[in-house]
Amino acid sequence: MLRSRALLKWAAFAGLVAHALIVVTGGAVRLTGSGLGCPTWPQCVDGSYVPTAEMGIHGVIEFTNRTLTGVIGFIVGAALVLAWLTKRRELTVPALLSVLGVPAQAVVGGMTVLTNLNPWVVGCHFLASMAALVAAYTLWIRIDRPAGPPVWAVRPPVRALTWLTMVTSGAVIVAGTVVTGSGPHAGDADAKRNGLDPGAFAQLHTDLVFLLLGLSVALWLTLKAVGARSKVAGVFVLVLLGQGLIGFVQYFTHLPVVLVAAHMAGACVVWIATLAVWHDLRPRTALPVAAGQPRNVATV
């Protein structure tokens, strides 16, 4: 039992990393102008599922990114099997959602190609990865926790502050996606942008970041003041400061490719840190065990 749980823990962590990695590699596709390296989908080019020599390095980069989807599918599929063997519904549900995230990302990715990198569809592709991270992180964090429903570890006023912080974090990521859709890195020289004012939406994104930073600091200080668990919230503040620094530098240096890639990776880290705060303040508690009932039965 302990060995299978350790295997599940490793598989769940690998799935979490893989879902984040596909964001980074997808960013590399766009930042290298390889968004239409494979101009069709599901084939790479008419008559071939793999790139031809004529397609050059852009075809290789795009095809490599597509291939990683299959690797992710294998990893999260293994995690699903291991979760199912535990017979714990609170593990099998997020594991299944993590698996379903793979074909969902593949379909949306195909739509981005078929729509010639429509920035709104590209944005949805990124947000689909953020949704997949929710399932992957939920599976990973629940493995070592007792079976039982999530219970808040803080009182209602702090819960409200937590909710506001979480929602604002999501808004920051969505706004950042819109800013990206208006910027210069389209993934192909002929791909259209969303037509919005990059400066105006960059300012909106910045305002939301400052709001999120203020809320995160307030949450951290509040947790410390009431004697609640505050370490994860403190790490969240540090992650936001690091991501904010990258964002400011990339903006004032006119969006160099390396910093844009770092900012995309940072977005994954910020979102994972957001989920960490949420789960840290809502630990699961063990259910009372009735006669003849297995201890690992739980509700979600």
Side-chain angles (χ1 to χ4, degrees):
M1 177 64 72
L2 290 177
R3 183 177 180 182
S4 63
R5 188 174 70 178
L7 287 174
L8 174 56
K9 188 76 172 180
W10 276 108
F13 181 74
L16 176 64
V17 172
H19 276 303
L21 181 62
I22 199 69
V23 174
V24 177
T25 59
V29 169
R30 194 179 76 241
L31 294 171
T32 57
S34 305
L36 293 177
C38 287
T40 62
W41 187 86
Q43 293 183 323
C44 186
V45 66
D46 289 337
S48 176
Y49 284 93
V50 298
T52 61
E54 293 78 9
M55 298 167 68
I57 187 62
H58 293 311
V60 173
I61 293 173
E62 167 61 9
F63 179 73
T64 300
N65 187 58
R66 292 187 183 188
T67 304
L68 282 175
T69 302
V71 175
I72 295 174
F74 175 80
I75 294 172
V76 298
L80 174 60
V81 172
L82 292 169
W84 179 77
L85 291 175
T86 67
K87 302 186 184 302
R88 293 175 56 185
R89 185 169 178 264
E90 76 276 6
L91 298 182
T92 56
V93 170
L96 177 60
L97 292 175
S98 180
V99 169
L100 294 177
V102 176
Q105 288 172 304
V107 170
V108 179
M111 291 174 60
T112 65
V113 174
L114 298 177
T115 58
N116 294 317
L117 305 182
N118 181 293
W120 298 108
V121 181
V122 173
C124 289
H125 195 206
F126 176 79
L127 295 178
S129 293
M130 296 298 103
L133 284 175
V134 174
Y137 184 84
T138 300
L139 170 63
W140 180 72
I141 200 65
R142 284 181 177 178
I143 293 171
D144 292 330
R145 294 190 173 186
V151 177
W152 281 98
V154 291
R155 294 184 178 276
V158 186
R159 298 178 200 172
L161 179 57
T162 304
W163 267 106
L164 184 57
T165 304
M166 302 300 102
V167 171
T168 304
S169 182
V172 166
I173 290 175
V174 172
T177 304
V178 175
V179 173
T180 300
S182 66
H185 299 295
D188 186 79
D190 298 324
K192 295 181 179 179
R193 303 284 71 204
N194 58 28
L196 300 174
D197 182 357
F201 275 86
Q203 183 61 56
L204 173 63
H205 178 57
T206 301
D207 293 342
L208 287 172
V209 168
F210 276 119
L211 175 60
L212 176 59
L213 183 58
L215 289 171
S216 65
V217 171
L219 178 60
W220 174 56
L221 293 176
T222 300
L223 292 173
K224 290 181 70 67
V226 300
R229 44 210 300 162
S230 61
K231 182 178 180 180
V232 174
V235 173
F236 181 46
V237 173
L238 295 177
V239 168
L240 289 176
L241 289 172
Q243 175 73 339
L245 177 61
I246 296 173
F248 273 109
V249 174
Q250 72 159 1
Y251 180 80
F252 288 109
T253 54
H254 307 292
L255 305 178
V257 169
V258 172
L259 289 181
V260 173
H263 201 54
M264 291 188 67
C268 294
V269 177
V270 166
W271 188 233
I272 291 172
T274 301
L275 299 173
V277 172
W278 174 260
H279 283 279
D280 188 56
L281 298 180
R282 299 174 76 248
R284 302 178 74 85
T285 56
L287 292 174
V289 179
Q293 182 184 18
R295 183 172 294 275
N296 60 3
V297 173
T299 58
V300 176

